Amino acid sequence: MKVEQISIFMENKAGRLAEVTAILKENGVNIRALSLADTADFGVLRMIVDDTQKTDLVLKEAGFTVGKTEVVAVEVMDTPGGLHDILEVLREKNINVEYMYAFVQQNSDRAVMIFRFDDVDTAITHLSARGMTVVPGKRLYSM
């Protein structure tokens, strides 16, 4: 039920993001979701890709600092309050959301959000118990 996320740490300067995407394009890696956070000097690019092993290898070979993190993909009703319903389950169980970002899914009445929790296994257990759909990584990579 966990999804492997790639995090790339890079300088915050013009063209650096294009370098990453060029490497992925050249190696046939498809980006399924991404989030970019920055400070004045550095950025963290978090991505869900269709081949984490290849991505890790080719970016490290190009000199990038790459990490892997377990995140959780959860289906969210694409209606007002859909996200709140999930966040309320987490609040009730005192589970912290460290960060989250959206996953684009075509032709559906549901959105998918990527979450990083302080306690991934507990979050999965409680979300599943409340009828929330936790999306397995293999399904997410092929959406």
Side-chain angles (χ1 to χ4, degrees), residues 38-121:
D38 70 327
T39 64
D41 298 322
F42 292 93
V44 179
L45 175 62
R46 295 180 174 109
M47 299 186 302
I48 306 298
V49 296
D50 64 349
D51 190 335
T52 56
Q53 290 181 340
K54 183 190 287 185
T55 301
D56 183 57
L57 177 68
V58 299
L59 290 174
K60 284 181 177 174
E61 285 176 350
F64 287 93
T65 301
V66 180
K68 293 182 182 180
T69 309
E70 290 181 332
V71 294
V72 179
V74 182
E75 285 189 351
V76 180
M77 289 301 297
D78 194 9
T79 59
L83 178 59
H84 172 74
D85 293 342
I86 291 171
L87 296 174
E88 185 62 23
V89 170
L90 301 168
R91 186 196 61 78
E92 289 170 3
K93 298 299 180 182
N94 201 34
I95 298 169
N96 185 43
V97 176
E98 295 180 359
Y99 57 83
M100 63 185 222
Y101 53 97
F103 176 94
V104 177
Q105 178 176 239
Q106 297 176 344
N107 301 324
S108 178
D109 63 344
R110 295 177 185 260
V112 176
M113 296 295 296
I114 307 296
F115 291 90
R116 172 67 179 161
F117 301 114
D118 59 351
D119 187 341
V120 173
D121 293 323

Side-chain angles (χ1 to χ4, degrees), residues 1-64:
M1 293 294 199
K2 299 173 192 171
V3 177
E4 196 168 49
Q5 170 188 268
I6 295 286
S7 298
I8 301 104
F9 304 93
M10 56 190 180
E11 292 174 276
N12 189 1
K13 68 177 190 176
R16 199 67 169 143
L17 184 57
E19 290 177 43
V20 171
T21 58
I23 292 165
L24 297 181
K25 178 182 177 181
E26 291 166 8
N27 287 278
V29 174
N30 191 21
I31 301 169
R32 306 296 300 145
L34 65 82
S35 169
L36 181 62
D38 70 327
T39 64
D41 298 322
F42 292 93
V44 179
L45 175 62
R46 295 180 174 109
M47 299 186 302
I48 306 298
V49 296
D50 64 349
D51 190 335
T52 56
Q53 290 181 340
K54 183 190 287 185
T55 301
D56 183 57
L57 177 68
V58 299
L59 290 174
K60 284 181 177 174
E61 285 176 350
F64 287 93

